[in-house]
Amino acid sequence: MERIIVQKSLGLNGNIRVDGSKNSILPILAATLLSEEECIIHDIPNLQDVRVMCKLLEVLGAKVERLGKNTLKISAENITTCEAPYELISKMRASFLVMGPLLTRCQNAKIYMPGGCAIGSRPIDLHLKGFRYLGTEIKSENGYVHAVTKKLVGNDIYLDFPSVGATENIMMAATLAEGETILENAAEEPEIVDLANFINSMGGNIIGAGTKTIRIKGVKKLHKTEHTVIPDRIEAGTYMVAAAATGGDVTIENVVSSHLQPVIAKLREAGAQVLEYGDKLRVISDGKINPVDIKTLPYPGFPTDMQAQFMSMLSIAIGTSIIHETIFENRFMHANELSRMGVDVKVEGSSAILKGSSKLSGAKVKATDLRAGAALIIAGLLADGETEITEVFHIKRGYDNIIEKLQNIGANIRYEK
Ligand code: EPZ
């Protein structure tokens, strides 16, 4: 079984280039189904989740062609089926994002109910509420969600929670609907803006993406386009935390610093220097970490996808930190694994209390989700002795070449088959 072996590596130093955003490319790939013409997309990270989404597009009838290491051409001229199979949906929850485009193209969509995962039940009620408001009948049968519509018609929709996926799915379903849709209490993440820009570049008419109210005016048809995906703010944040925690001096290239304000603010509060210039961020730290309190919130609040990484860094802070997770009901699975490395952390409901000043020691640990895996790597860089991380497939879902990138800035880390 493949493992990642990490030895203590303080003072990381050098440059790391961040790839295109996983959480942007996945909805954008789904959105290529909205057009019958070809879409060329650049700066696509080479990730397992991207391969699963591309496989799903091909199963649905699209042609997917690799034009270069990080460039794909997708042509969805013919959709040959409106059914997304269990084996692909069960691999990746984001596959459910093809629901909106399939309803648009086929007025019909049959998708296996995406399961929960380690971090929570992750229901889809808000996605389905939006589709119903746009004129869709929805039935659940044998684990499938089956949606049928005579015609998608724009409507006013209020999201009870600013769900990223529901905002994306409804935005896609409204793009070619008749009339106008107003989506209230929408998610404001940068990945929503990137998706809206992508759809508008095909001839869509979406305004307000990145704010709580998004207005989608239905258009008749979409044409071809070429688009470059925004940088991955969570990949960037992960390496920033690794640099700060190990007392390093690392320059992260290909970032949009306005997407990282909460992370930059918290790293500064923790005592790191963060210098912003153009599309680069430089993180300098002496390795002495101040305790900080974290509360995860929808964007522009502190991102839940950075919570685990901060827990690793705050385990060596001089004092107590409190982390409050408000987005997912079970996103502290990494706390158990970290405590096996000597981290003094106590989980009470949706909060974790970190005593700090932990002396971390290497151990055999397992990744429980993508960001938890990254947190264990950071902890391994701080721990005396050797850390062995299993279930590394989680990490490969969201971090392209993480081992090589960390080796290039001095980390003693390797894969072991
Ligand atoms: C996206 O997931 C991201 N994934 C997640 O990143 C990220 O953690 C999450 O947004 C929050 O920022 C992708 O973009 C592919 P949500 P998504 O719908 O869309 C509840 C990573 O590590 N909810 O905003 O699934 C839900 O249970 C991943 O890269 C409903 O109740 O997140 C959760 O508690 C992990 N009903 C909260 O909203 C719904 O219909 C946030 O979920 C939908 C969601």
Side-chain angles (χ1 to χ4, degrees):
M1 162 177 63
E2 200 174 18
R3 293 160 299 155
I4 291 177
I5 309 293
V6 195
Q7 309 282 353
K8 188 168 197 166
S9 311
L10 300 183
L12 297 182
N13 194 303
N15 291 33
I16 282 190
R17 185 188 185 280
V18 162
D19 297 314
S21 163
K22 165 181 87 80
N23 291 350
S24 207
I25 186 59
L26 294 176
I28 283 176
L29 286 170
T32 62
L33 295 173
L34 290 168
S35 171
E36 293 170 25
E37 300 185 21
E38 67 185 32
C39 300
I40 295 178
I41 306 167
H42 301 286
D43 220 0
I44 295 183
N46 179 19
L47 298 172
Q48 177 59 16
D49 277 7
V50 171
R51 287 188 284 276
V52 171
M53 184 60 93
C54 288
K55 178 86 190 101
L56 177 56
L57 296 183
E58 288 175 323
V59 163
L60 298 172
K63 278 209 288 310
V64 179
E65 204 185 327
R66 184 165 287 284
L67 298 186
K69 187 170 169 301
N70 298 95
T71 299
L72 288 177
K73 178 169 82 173
I74 294 105
S75 316
E77 188 180 352
N78 306 303
I79 304 277
T80 52
T81 173
C82 58
E83 185 166 332
Y86 165 77
E87 55 279 357
L88 286 175
I89 297 285
S90 58
K91 278 207 180 84
M92 183 183 66
R93 170 189 168 76
S95 315
F96 196 70
L97 291 172
V98 300
M99 189 97 175
L102 285 178
L103 274 172
T104 301
R105 291 290 299 274
C106 322
Q107 292 73 53
N108 192 335
K110 195 170 172 197
I111 300 187
Y112 202 80
M113 180 77 97
C117 62
I119 61 178
S121 60
R122 305 188 76 179
I124 53 166
D125 56 309
L126 298 175
H127 298 240
L128 303 183
K129 171 181 178 180
F131 296 140
R132 285 193 183 95
Y133 270 66
L134 294 174
T136 304
E137 293 283 316
I138 295 190
K139 287 199 302 288
S140 297
E141 52 201 20
N142 323 320
Y144 276 85
V145 176
H146 192 183
V148 181
T149 179
K150 288 193 183 55
K151 180 170 64 170
L152 290 168
V153 180
N155 203 341
D156 294 355
I157 301 166
Y158 173 79
L159 285 180
D160 306 58
F161 181 86
S163 153
V164 171
T167 300
E168 291 164 343
N169 232 335
I170 295 165
M171 208 159 78
M172 290 189 275
T175 293
L176 291 145
E178 184 184 274
E180 182 174 68
T181 296
I182 310 274
L183 188 52
E184 298 285 1
N185 198 29
E188 301 173 79
E189 274 71 2
E191 293 76 26
I192 305 285
V193 178
D194 202 21
L195 175 63
N197 290 340
F198 174 70
I199 292 173
N200 286 343
S201 75
M202 292 195 281
N205 187 341
I206 299 174
I207 47 180
T211 73
K212 287 203 165 310
T213 303
I214 303 178
R215 190 185 293 269
I216 306 116
K217 288 196 176 113
V219 295
K220 289 271 173 274
K221 205 168 158 48
L222 296 179
H223 50 71
K224 66 181 175 183
T225 189
E226 192 154 352
H227 182 83
T228 298
V229 176
I230 58 170
D232 194 316
R233 61 193 167 99
I234 306 300
E235 186 192 9
T238 302
Y239 295 127
M240 290 167 73
V241 170
T246 60
D249 179 348
V250 177
T251 298
I252 320 280
E253 298 168 354
N254 189 35
V255 299
V256 178
S257 54
S258 61
H259 294 167
L260 280 154
Q261 287 312 310
V263 172
I264 292 169
K266 284 297 168 183
L267 282 175
R268 285 174 175 157
E269 260 183 64
Q273 267 192 71
V274 181
L275 310 176
E276 302 174 52
Y277 42 103
D279 70 345
K280 294 184 180 64
L281 284 173
R282 184 177 173 192
V283 178
I284 305 169
S285 156
D286 59 6
K288 290 191 193 62
I289 302 296
N290 308 323
V292 295
D293 292 342
I294 302 268
K295 180 176 183 180
T296 66
L297 287 167
Y299 194 90
F302 186 91
T304 174
D305 293 347
M306 285 300 306
Q307 179 255 102
Q309 301 91 314
F310 265 74
M311 185 182 285
S312 291
M313 179 180 77
L314 294 173
S315 67
I316 60 164
I318 307 139
T320 301
S321 305
I322 297 178
I323 298 178
H324 187 192
E325 172 60 58
T326 73
I327 305 293
F328 289 105
E329 70 269 26
N330 185 31
R331 201 169 196 174
F332 285 131
M333 305 280 277
H334 43 282
N336 296 338
E337 300 301 309
L338 288 171
S339 52
R340 295 172 56 217
M341 296 176 70
V343 172
D344 183 342
V345 54
K346 200 159 54 191
V347 175
E348 288 176 4
S350 59
S351 293
I353 296 109
L354 271 160
K355 274 266 177 333
S357 313
S358 304
K359 193 109 189 63
L360 274 65
S361 48
K364 287 187 188 335
V365 289
K366 70 176 170 36
T368 46
D369 74 82
L370 160 63
R371 308 304 173 185
L376 292 172
I377 288 179
I378 294 170
L381 296 171
L382 301 172
D384 294 326
E386 181 170 285
T387 299
E388 180 183 306
I389 304 169
T390 56
E391 318 262 304
V392 297
F393 62 89
H394 286 294
I395 299 173
K396 289 183 156 182
R397 290 187 53 182
Y399 290 97
D400 191 7
N401 288 327
I402 187 167
I403 302 299
E404 294 78 3
K405 288 181 177 178
L406 286 172
Q407 285 171 340
N408 291 341
I409 56 171
N412 185 340
I413 183 171
R414 69 181 190 277
Y415 273 124
E416 207 158 75
K417 293 278 176 219

